[in-house]
Every structure is written in C-alpha cells, then in structure tokens.
Amino acid sequence: MNAIAWKLIGLISEVLERDERDAVLGDLMEGDESGWRGLRDVFGLVFRRQGALWRSPRPWLAGFVVALPCSYLLMHVSISVTCTYERLVNHRTYACWHTGHEGFALLLCHVLLLVAWSWAGGYIVGSVSRRTLWMSASLSVVPTMFCWCWWGRMIPSRLCLFLFLVPAFFGVVRGLRDSRLSFPTTLALAATITVLMISAWSNQALWVLNWALVLPAWYLAAAAWRSRREAGLRSVSPAGAGPI
Amino acid sequence: MLGEFEYLLITVAAGLGENAYGAAIREEIEATTERRCSLGALYTTIDRLEKKGLLKTWMGEATPQRGGRAKRMVRVTSQGTRAAKEFYEVIARVSRGASWAEAR
C-alpha cells in the first residue's frame, strides 16, 4: 500500500516546478513520512498551487477561450479535409459531409490552414499557461471524444478527428520553450492565414465560424509587436534614469 | 502585520539559522506547537514571505538521506526580523493584563 502511495506522490508531484518537487520529495524522504501522509501533503500543496494559478485569467483564456472552441472548429476542418481527400483520391463520398466542389487547390488550401490554425492555437495554449496545460489539453480533446462516440461511424476514419492535434502539439512544444517569435514571422503567419482564408471564402469553401480561427495568429502578431515596441523603449531610455 | 503562522515560520527559521530548510522548519513547528504542519501551508507561506521580502530562499545541497534531492534553504532578511519583532511587540502589548499572560 505504501509503495502505491509513493508512486502516486511521484506522479502528482510532476505538476510542481522542478526545484519545488525536489525540495518536497526530499523533505518527505528525510522526515521518514508514511506514504499516505506524504500523499496528503503533496496533494494539498498541488491543490494550493493550482488554486493560485486559476486566480489569474490566463488558464481560463488558454482553456476555455482558445483550446475548447478552437479544437471544436479544427475537428470539423479535420473531418472536412479527410472527406475532400477521400472524394478526390478514392472517389468515396460521405452523405453526412458535403464536399461538393472543392478541387485539389482548395484541399491544399484547407490543409495549410489546418496546420497553421492548429499550430498558432497550440503555441498560445503552450505559452500562455504552461502549468495548467493538463487542463487545456483535456479540454481540447472533449469535442473529439464527443464526436468519436456519436459520429464515429459516419466519418471516413475516427483517426481523422485527431488530425489537428499533430500541428497543435508542435505549437504547444514551441510555446512551452518560451522562445519568442519575431514580429515579421508572426505577421507573415497571420497575413498568410488571412489570404488563404479569403481565398477559401471567395470559393465558398469556408464555414463562417472558422473566421474565429484567425484570431490566435493575429494575437501572436500583436503580442510580438508589443514586445518589440517595449524592447525598443527600454533601449532608448538611458540606464538608471528614473523619476526625479 | 504578519499572520500567526507567518510569525511562527520566521521565528523558527531565525532560530535554526544556517540549518533552516523545509523539513527542519516543519519538524520544529510541529514539535513546538504540537500541531501538524502541512507541506502545502509551509511552502505557500514561504513563497508569500519571500515575495514580501521577509525571507530569502535558495536551493541547497542534496544529501543521500534525502534520496539525492536538494533542500530549499531559508534565511530571514532584516525586513523579516523587523516584521517579526513588530508582531511580537504587538502581541506582548495586547496581552498585558490578560489573566493567562500574568499567570506565567
């Protein structure tokens, strides 16, 4: 039983930051605590830490404004892309998903958009709230699991539901690294996405709600512009100059 | 003004001096107050006090009895000493004339 408690302690303490995890696990080992008391202690600490994090708007933004709605829309795009591919390449059509007029050019446009939208959304989720990533990740899988259960037989393959998760995963990893993107890069990304979306929209191949997916890319561009401006202001003001 | 647990923590850490770190502080608090001290309360209070500038913490050395894991060392700052002194004086002033204080 004690061994199970220690395994759970190891697992739960992964949520803590590395230094704190080291200190806490070392304290428990040194104090010769029973596994269950230690588990209660670590659980209490994790609960307090997570509680403190959720007082900030960032985890709410990452989870409920970005991860959940974007994953719902991106899941639809993933199915749409798969159905179009099936129709164009394997000449199979799916009654529940009308992909009437898109050709290879529009399919390519949709694939590029799917990758760019998912990557940008993943980047924001990873960079805005890294310590509550477990919640954002869980929320992003909710629409997929719902669809898996209810529409699983009506779509080409259940795996197609997860297409958007691949670029989103790489976006999250990049966001977690805390590597700032430059303003020209983010601007190029946002502009490319917008041009592709206008192109798809003018061909009547874009759901009106998908316009919301352009927001993460423009948010990245705005954030990069703001940090460049702040860095510029810091370099202009002389060191040590403050109010008199 | 400090809270009761914050005062306890600063006083114990000051008493332990160079040997003040999580497990030692916890053990001392539990021995003195005869009450359980949770790790959650301990570490969140240490963080809060550090943010207020009353404590300074850093990662210390790792020992075999800790499974090779580092200690989080704690030192009371001069601001922390002042805050604890102020708390003690307030308690001493407010306790003057109280039956339990005179009984000692």
Side-chain angles (χ1 to χ4, degrees):
Chain A
M1 288 297 274
N2 223 20
I4 298 172
W6 278 105
K7 278 202 172 132
L8 286 172
I9 288 172
L11 195 73
I12 294 170
S13 64
E14 285 295 323
V15 183
L16 300 170
E17 289 201 346
R18 202 178 61 189
D19 279 353
E20 184 158 61
R21 188 170 63 238
D22 253 17
V24 166
L25 294 181
D27 285 355
L28 290 178
M29 210 165 270
E30 191 183 324
D32 210 12
E33 299 276 353
S34 78
W36 295 108
R37 188 187 165 186
L39 180 62
R40 198 170 57 175
D41 270 338
V42 171
F43 191 76
L45 179 62
V46 167
F47 188 75
R48 280 168 189 255
R49 292 286 187 230
Q50 286 290 317
L53 291 175
W54 285 90
R55 273 188 224 135
S56 148
R58 293 165 74 99
W60 297 98
L61 180 84
F64 292 94
V65 179
V66 181
L68 185 62
C70 284
S71 60
Y72 173 77
L73 295 171
L74 289 168
M75 180 195 71
H76 276 265
V77 180
S78 299
I79 300 171
S80 170
V81 163
T82 312
C83 287
T84 309
Y85 175 84
E86 284 288 317
R87 181 176 56 79
L88 291 172
V89 177
N90 298 327
H91 308 290
R92 280 193 213 126
T93 52
Y94 294 86
C96 68
W97 213 269
H98 301 288
T99 58
H101 60 286
E102 294 97 334
F104 280 105
L106 272 173
L107 173 65
L108 179 67
C109 175
H110 275 150
V111 170
L112 291 174
L113 279 172
L114 179 66
V115 171
W117 281 331
S118 311
W119 189 90
Y123 185 93
I124 288 180
V125 168
S127 58
V128 164
S129 185
R130 62 197 65 201
R131 287 173 66 194
T132 54
L133 187 62
W134 61 275
M135 178 56 94
S136 304
S138 311
L139 285 170
S140 69
V141 181
V142 168
T144 315
M145 294 320 290
F146 182 80
C147 196
W148 175 286
C149 298
W150 292 96
W151 300 342
R153 288 183 189 164
M154 293 186 244
I155 52 178
S157 155
R158 281 185 162 128
L159 282 180
C160 77
L161 295 170
F162 298 96
L163 274 184
F164 73 95
L165 287 176
V166 180
F169 172 78
F170 285 106
V172 168
V173 170
R174 183 73 198 268
L176 284 173
R177 270 194 227 146
D178 199 23
S179 48
R180 295 261 168 100
L181 297 173
S182 69
F183 176 60
T185 310
T186 51
L187 185 65
L189 176 73
T192 309
I193 289 177
T194 310
V195 169
L196 286 172
M197 286 178 80
I198 292 169
S199 156
W201 178 258
S202 59
N203 285 291
Q204 294 166 346
L206 191 76
W207 191 24
V208 67
L209 288 181
N210 284 351
W211 278 104
L213 290 169
V214 79
L215 295 176
W218 282 107
Y219 171 83
L220 284 180
W225 174 76
R226 201 178 62 179
S227 11
R228 190 171 80 160
R229 198 167 139 253
E230 281 168 3
L233 285 175
R234 270 199 301 275
S235 65
V236 166
S237 62
I244 301 167
Chain B
M1 201 171 123
L2 292 176
E4 175 207 342
F5 188 68
E6 290 175 334
Y7 174 75
L8 264 177
L9 204 155
I10 289 180
T11 309
V12 166
L16 286 168
E18 300 277 298
N19 300 317
Y21 65 95
I25 294 173
R26 185 188 192 200
E27 198 184 319
E28 191 64 24
I29 288 177
E30 287 188 343
T32 317
T33 61
E34 293 174 0
R35 274 159 62 183
R36 205 179 161 272
C37 169
S38 76
L39 276 179
L42 182 76
Y43 278 106
T44 47
T45 308
I46 288 177
D47 274 2
R48 193 167 59 245
L49 291 173
E50 189 171 27
K51 271 183 198 147
K52 288 182 190 171
L54 309 182
L55 290 182
K56 186 177 173 3
T57 72
W58 68 98
M59 294 308 287
E61 91 272 23
T63 59
Q65 68 177 129
R66 296 172 59 83
R69 296 180 187 277
K71 296 170 178 173
R72 185 170 177 191
M73 306 303 294
V74 175
R75 196 181 67 218
V76 181
T77 63
S78 53
Q79 207 182 330
T81 309
R82 269 200 305 277
K85 194 166 173 259
E86 193 185 304
F87 181 90
Y88 178 78
E89 282 168 358
V90 169
I91 295 296
R93 270 202 306 275
V94 84
S95 304
R96 238 174 261 152
S99 58
W100 56 87
E102 282 169 3
R104 296 220 163 193

